[in-house]
Amino acid sequence: MSQDNAAPTPAAEQGSRNLWLRVAAAVVLAPGALAIAYLGGWIWAVLATAVAIGLFLEWLSVVGAARDFRVLVIGCLTLLVCGIGLMFDKPGPAALAAVLGVGGLLVLNDQPRQWTASGLGYAALALIASVLIRHDPDHGFVALVLIFLIVWGTDIGGYFAGRGIGGPKLWPRVSPKKTWAGAIGGLVLSLGVAFGFALAGFGKIVPLLILAAILSTVSQLGDLFESAVKRRFGVKDSSHIIPGHGGLLDRLDGYVAAVALAALIGMARDSVDGIGRGLMVW
């Protein structure tokens, strides 16, 4: 058989299959997430709480603490209280509950207490930041969409630029497949997202481009952080709940980092009631 007619290699077949799984999962999940984000209010808080609990459970599985009943109870109750506080527009008590929950895990004698406490803080941060960003009734949804599209654009640009161009690895000890070309490709596509928002009248072009560059970079750092944690514990995927993507941690690592920073930027610019305006540079 000639080389031209040779069957695709198993690696190529697996890569193609994985790509289609990723696309199919995105087509199913992304519209649902956007629809609930559009509705906002308690239904968005419920989704954010459920996702935060899922992130925490996957984190425990990665660090080998999934069977510790006390950790499970403290963590899940903490996130439930946070979510309820946010549903009733009480971010202060929600943040206090998160601090107390993390402190509770730190005082447990069992190991790895620092890892379980970090996982609860990680999940609580994702929950609180996601709800606070959406809090602004006028601009919160647009702000969330901007974050979503920057993170998704970073992932998509990184995937195709990394595969199509290749080249030097970004950080081979942590993530052997990621390349500098992929990192730059993700950044470029995120800038395109910001440019589109500016053209649509959702902010000034220069601040939006700067914001996109920062959030894209932080998103990639969040991805690397999650990869480092998995490598530390010898885990490939946090779970297999999302076909082609792995688990919630695998899919949302960049989003968690980006939304947390976006919330901090919003709070630095304005009060909690003005997070949408602060983030979107109105």
Side-chain angles (χ1 to χ4, degrees):
M1 181 180 294
S2 69
Q3 183 68 26
D4 291 341
N5 295 325
T9 65
E13 290 177 348
Q14 179 65 26
S16 177
R17 179 174 179 272
N18 186 62
L19 174 60
W20 284 110
L21 283 173
R22 289 169 67 95
V23 171
V27 168
V28 172
L29 296 175
L34 290 171
I36 295 176
Y38 175 77
L39 294 174
W42 67 268
I43 191 169
W44 172 249
V46 167
L47 176 62
T49 302
V51 169
I53 291 174
L55 289 172
F56 178 63
L57 295 178
E58 287 190 359
W59 183 287
L60 294 184
S61 178
V62 169
V63 304
R67 297 183 180 181
D68 192 321
F69 182 73
R70 292 179 303 168
V71 170
L72 286 170
V73 170
I74 291 174
C76 291
L77 281 179
T78 296
L79 294 171
L80 281 173
V81 172
C82 281
I84 292 171
L86 293 166
M87 287 177 208
F88 288 94
D89 194 20
K90 302 294 183 183
L96 178 61
V99 171
L100 293 175
V102 171
L105 292 187
L106 283 173
V107 301
L108 290 180
N109 293 324
D110 295 349
Q111 295 291 335
R113 60 186 177 183
Q114 68 274 19
W115 286 104
T116 57
S118 297
L120 179 55
Y122 183 87
L125 183 62
L127 166 59
I128 294 171
S130 296
V131 177
L132 288 184
I133 288 290
R134 182 61 183 88
H135 181 81
D136 181 77
D138 297 320
H139 307 299
F141 174 66
V142 178
L144 264 181
V145 171
L146 175 64
I147 296 168
F148 283 152
L149 293 181
I150 287 174
V151 173
W152 294 343
T154 298
D155 287 345
I156 294 169
Y159 182 87
F160 286 102
R163 282 181 168 266
I165 300 174
K169 303 298 182 182
L170 183 62
W171 195 355
R173 287 184 58 189
V174 170
S175 186
K177 293 183 179 180
K178 288 183 173 57
T179 64
W180 281 101
I184 295 171
L187 175 62
V188 169
L189 192 52
S190 73
L191 294 178
V193 169
F195 188 74
F197 268 67
L199 289 181
F202 290 119
K204 299 176 182 178
I205 186 167
V206 173
L208 280 174
L209 288 174
I210 294 173
L211 179 64
I214 293 172
L215 295 185
S216 176
T217 301
V218 169
S219 172
Q220 296 189 54
L221 291 175
D223 191 346
L224 289 171
F225 168 73
E226 194 250 355
S227 296
V229 173
K230 290 190 299 182
R231 183 164 291 271
R232 163 68 174 76
F233 290 94
V235 175
K236 184 178 185 296
D237 293 318
S238 59
S239 75
H240 300 286
I241 191 173
I242 307 175
H245 293 277
L248 291 172
L249 277 173
D250 301 313
R251 178 64 277 174
L252 298 177
D253 46 13
Y255 167 77
V256 172
V259 77
L261 180 60
L264 290 174
I265 292 172
M267 287 187 288
R269 288 185 56 87
D270 214 332
S271 66
V272 172
D273 287 338
I275 275 183
R277 285 184 292 273
L279 175 61
M280 294 301 294
V281 203
W282 269 283

